[in-house]
Amino acid sequence: MGNLKLGPLPKFGTVRMTIVLPEPLKDELERYAAEYSRMYEPVEAAALVPHMLETFMRSDRGYRSRKAQAARGQVR
């Protein structure tokens, strides 16, 4: 069986946010958290959301490109 894309969770400070999810997405997130808990360590579904978002943003080439362009524009 392959590893999950979301590896062990890093330890960082947190900021509280409230989000609204469609029920099917919440159910899928809970299933993912159950699988994650079997593979790594027990975790609640809500604890995975920030790390999933971070992984998504790191993998978004368009976002990374625009972020780099903005940083170059600020340096000049």
Side-chain angles (χ1 to χ4, degrees):
M1 183 182 313
N3 289 334
L4 298 177
K5 185 170 186 167
L6 190 66
L9 300 180
K11 307 294 186 218
F12 291 111
T14 60
V15 175
R16 184 170 297 274
M17 290 181 71
T18 301
I19 62 170
V20 177
L21 301 175
E23 286 184 24
L25 180 57
K26 177 194 170 283
D27 295 341
E28 192 69 24
L29 181 61
E30 288 177 348
R31 284 190 291 275
Y32 190 98
E35 184 63 23
Y36 183 95
S37 294
R38 281 191 284 281
M39 292 185 71
Y40 298 108
E41 62 182 306
V43 67
E44 298 216 7
L48 296 176
V49 173
H51 305 288
M52 290 174 154
L53 290 172
E54 181 181 20
T55 298
F56 171 79
M57 290 171 61
R58 271 198 320 259
S59 69
D60 186 323
R61 290 182 183 161
Y63 173 71
R64 285 194 334 255
S65 175
R66 290 174 183 270
K67 184 178 171 183
Q69 288 173 354
R72 284 192 301 270
Q74 291 174 355
V75 173
R76 293 182 188 181

